[in-house]
Amino acid sequence: RAAGLYTVLVTNGMFTPESIDLLAPWIDVYRADFKSLDDRLYREHTRFAGAEGIRDGIVRMARHGVHVELVTVVMPGYHDDEHLARMARWIVETLGPATPWHLSRFVPYAHVTDIAATPDASIAAAARIGRAAGLQRIAEGDWYEQDHA
């Protein structure tokens, strides 16, 4: 920090409360996967039991004064308009309307090939939902595609 450098932690968000307390003094930006408010997606596509630990970690890091950004890979069959609206409201109510929300496309890969790729229209719709909920900073689309096209 004295040299003007920042430390960014890009993570799936699975930390114990104790590890967050140890890491927070050294982290400037916490960019965490925010897959869902519901346990179903976590149980079916990760080794996590559910969403609560991820949410708790996000909130705990923010309470330490760390800048938090959230990433949601919008998956067909998991993120309908109502669910995205609930997620956006949670962000606004819990972290504030200036919290950045990155919305990315799902692309079938590895062991998850039975779900179709996310249509671009779904990302645009998710962004509209987030803005309607009051979010001020929404990044649409896949950063890799934007930067490496």
Side-chain angles (χ1 to χ4, degrees):
R1 289 184 182 145
L5 301 174
Y6 298 95
T7 302
V8 179
L9 179 60
V10 178
T11 175
N12 65 12
M14 183 50 81
F15 288 97
T16 64
E18 297 80 10
S19 62
I20 288 175
D21 293 343
L22 290 170
L23 282 169
W26 307 101
I27 304 299
D28 298 294
V29 179
Y30 185 71
R31 187 172 185 220
D33 288 348
F34 181 50
K35 295 180 186 339
S36 176
L37 285 172
D38 301 331
D39 294 337
R40 175 180 164 224
L41 191 143
Y42 287 95
R43 280 194 312 265
E44 292 179 11
H45 294 284
T46 73
R47 293 184 179 143
F48 306 152
E52 185 178 6
I54 305 300
R55 287 191 315 266
D56 291 348
I58 289 167
V59 170
R60 191 176 194 96
M61 194 62 84
R63 286 186 181 148
H64 276 284
V66 176
H67 172 81
V68 172
E69 299 193 10
L70 302 177
V71 179
T72 299
V73 176
V74 179
M75 294 177 71
Y78 290 91
H79 297 101
D80 60 18
D81 290 355
E82 187 274 330
H83 188 159
L84 290 164
R86 285 191 305 120
M87 291 176 75
R89 283 192 307 270
W90 183 88
I91 297 168
V92 169
E93 293 168 3
T94 307
L95 303 171
T99 303
W101 192 22
H102 302 263
L103 299 167
S104 296
R105 291 179 66 230
F106 171 79
V107 178
Y109 69 98
H111 65 281
V112 186
T113 58
D114 58 326
I115 300 172
T118 308
D120 290 337
S122 294
I123 299 297
R128 284 192 300 275
I129 290 166
R131 287 186 192 95
L135 286 170
Q136 301 165 352
R137 297 184 174 125
I138 298 175
E140 298 176 48
D142 186 53
W143 65 269
Y144 185 85
E145 289 176 7
Q146 292 173 4
D147 292 346
H148 298 89

